[in-house]
């Protein structure tokens, strides 16, 4: 596979289950350095995300997330996989936009439910694993996602390779 180099970062944002991690892994395969904010948070806290929520609550998780986003944004020409709530804080969005392009991945609630049905690692999905529950949380977050996004790529029915191709093309033309 051809190796690529970028001048700016690509920050992947979007709802849980939209495929940020898959696209992130694919872009790393193409030679880009990468940081996954949830993995960084887990390293910092020494425990899984679900445990941070359970023991310390969401506000503490969000504080760690801001630190992780700032660290990730300090990279050059890499790919950042952001947790689904990372753009709820404006300061995080500003940090990501300062050094890169923010790319929103989207999918329908039906697709997301299909992918997340058997997942129990995401505290924000608890009690919401229905099309209605996902639609409601998406609605609450729509303004934050759309306000942060500089590029938007719909993922339904596309392969990871197609999605990466669209992202790289859009970043090149931006
Ligand atoms: C969250 C999404 C998760 C993780 C945490 C909170 C959210 O990341 O950061 O559970 O608020 O949407 P993924 O989007 O990678 O699942």
């Amino acid at each position: 596979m051809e190796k690529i180099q970028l001048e700016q970062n690509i920050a992947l944002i979007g709802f849980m289950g939209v495929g940020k991690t898959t696209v992130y892994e694919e872009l790393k395969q193409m030679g880009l350095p990468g940081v996954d904010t949830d993995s960084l948070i887990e390293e910092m806290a020494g425990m899984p995300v679900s445990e941070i929520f359970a023991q310390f609550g969401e506000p503490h998780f969000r504080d760690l997330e801001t630190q992780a986003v700032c660290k990730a944004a300090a990279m050059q020409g890499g790919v950042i996989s952001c947790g689904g709530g990372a753009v709820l804080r404006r300061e995080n969005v500003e940090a990501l936009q300062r050094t890169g392009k923010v790319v929103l991945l989207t999918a329908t609630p039906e697709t997301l439910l299909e992918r997340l049905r058997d997942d129990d690692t995401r505290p924000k999905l608890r009690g919401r694993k229905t099309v209605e529950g996902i639609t409601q949380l998406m609605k609450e977050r729509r303004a934050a996602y759309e306000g942060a996004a500089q590029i938007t790529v719909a993922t339904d029915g596309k392969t990871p390779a197609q999605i990466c191709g669209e992202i790289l093309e859009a970043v090149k033309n931006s």
Side-chain angles (χ1 to χ4, degrees):
M1 196 188 287
E2 194 191 334
K3 297 283 176 197
I4 51 170
Q5 278 194 329
L6 296 178
E7 279 168 20
Q8 50 186 347
N9 293 325
I10 292 175
L12 301 169
I13 66 162
F15 205 85
M16 295 164 274
V18 82
K20 290 165 292 181
T21 305
T22 307
V23 169
Y24 165 79
E25 292 297 343
E26 184 103 358
L27 289 170
K28 282 207 305 181
Q29 286 282 315
M30 294 177 179
L32 296 184
V35 177
D36 174 313
T37 61
D38 280 339
S39 304
L40 195 51
I41 292 165
E42 291 185 339
E43 250 172 60
M44 285 158 52
M47 63 182 81
V49 166
S50 56
E51 202 50 40
I52 304 172
F53 268 76
Q55 279 197 32
F56 302 104
E58 182 168 353
H60 180 69
F61 171 81
R62 297 296 171 202
D63 287 342
L64 294 176
E65 187 170 54
T66 294
Q67 291 179 40
V69 164
C70 289
K71 266 197 196 168
M75 180 172 49
Q76 256 189 8
V79 54
I80 303 167
S81 182
C82 298
V87 295
L88 297 174
R89 282 194 183 172
R90 195 62 211 170
E91 61 186 302
N92 297 354
V93 176
E94 283 162 12
L96 295 169
Q97 290 186 347
R98 219 171 283 134
T99 56
K101 284 283 175 294
V102 176
V103 178
L104 172 65
L105 301 182
T106 66
T108 61
E110 288 77 8
T111 300
L112 297 174
L113 181 61
E114 197 52 44
R115 293 190 192 143
L116 296 166
R117 199 184 291 279
D118 299 325
D119 179 274
D120 58 4
T121 66
R122 291 168 166 100
K124 296 299 290 182
L125 277 181
R126 217 152 282 156
R128 279 200 183 99
K129 264 198 261 165
T130 57
V131 167
E132 295 72 31
I134 291 174
T135 304
Q136 178 58 33
L137 186 57
M138 271 171 100
K139 208 166 123 194
E140 289 168 22
R141 291 184 167 184
R142 180 158 302 133
Y145 286 146
E146 290 177 359
Q150 294 163 298
I151 293 165
T152 301
V153 176
T155 64
D156 280 285
K158 293 177 191 163
T159 64
Q162 280 174 318
I163 298 165
C164 289
E166 276 189 40
I167 293 172
L168 292 172
E169 190 60 22
V171 167
K172 203 173 75 188
N173 296 327
S174 68

